[in-house]
């Protein structure tokens, strides 16, 4: 699997929006975003399959949208209506598991990770 280069993190106030991008080199069956705060385990946020199927953790449904470009080289995470509890380091990840219509969502199914980008939401 290739490299992942993330961008787009930063500071936002509650209610604002940010968009994360991840440039992917190499093929992946599942492309996803995870996040981690200090002292806690890395958690699944969203993922997209090769066929465009998506999955989200309940806490971001209706606020976050995962998508990718037609060449499948860049995956995005549009984050709207941000909340302070969304503050975390966000990681892009890709893996070879998952079906055409349904992406993998468990951490162990992703084998290539980006360096992480900080998202901080103030109240």
């Amino acid at each position: 699997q290739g490299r992942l280069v993330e961008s787009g993190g930063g500071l936002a106030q509650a209610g604002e929006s940010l968009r994360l991008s991840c440039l992917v080199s190499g093929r992946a069956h599942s492309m996803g975003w995870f996040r981690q705060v200090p002292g806690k385990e890395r958690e699944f946020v969203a993922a997209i399959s090769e066929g465009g199927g998506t999955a989200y953790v309940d806490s971001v449904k209706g606020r976050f949208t995962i998508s990718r470009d037609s060449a499948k080289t860049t995956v995005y995470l549009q984050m709207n209506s941000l909340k302070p509890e969304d503050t975390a380091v966000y990681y892009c990840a890709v893996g070879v598991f998952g079906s055409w219509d349904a992406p993998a969502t468990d951490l162990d199914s992703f084998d290539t990770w980006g360096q992480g980008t900080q998202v901080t939401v103030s109240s």
Side-chain angles (χ1 to χ4, degrees), residues 30-34 44-49 52-56 66 103-105 110:
S30 295
M31 305 167 77
W33 290 93
F34 291 74
F44 168 76
V45 177
I48 187 166
S49 70
T54 58
Y56 298 91
I66 189 170
T105 59
F110 293 81

Side-chain angles (χ1 to χ4, degrees), residues 51-62:
T54 58
Y56 298 91
V57 67
D58 286 347
S59 60
V60 307
K61 285 180 180 177

Side-chain angles (χ1 to χ4, degrees), residues 10-34:
L11 300 175
Q13 292 191 334
E16 294 184 340
S17 300
L18 287 172
R19 188 174 83 156
L20 306 181
S21 300
C22 178
L23 180 62
V24 178
S25 60
R27 184 183 176 186
H29 289 288
S30 295
M31 305 167 77
W33 290 93
F34 291 74

Side-chain angles (χ1 to χ4, degrees), residues 3-9 19-24 32-34 42 74-75 89-94 112-118:
R3 294 180 61 240
L4 306 180
V5 180
E6 300 156 348
S7 61
R19 188 174 83 156
L20 306 181
S21 300
C22 178
L23 180 62
V24 178
W33 290 93
F34 291 74
R42 192 169 297 186
T74 305
V75 60
V89 176
Y90 283 71
Y91 295 90
C92 176
V94 299
T112 303
W113 294 82
Q115 78 282 3
T117 185
Q118 178 70 45

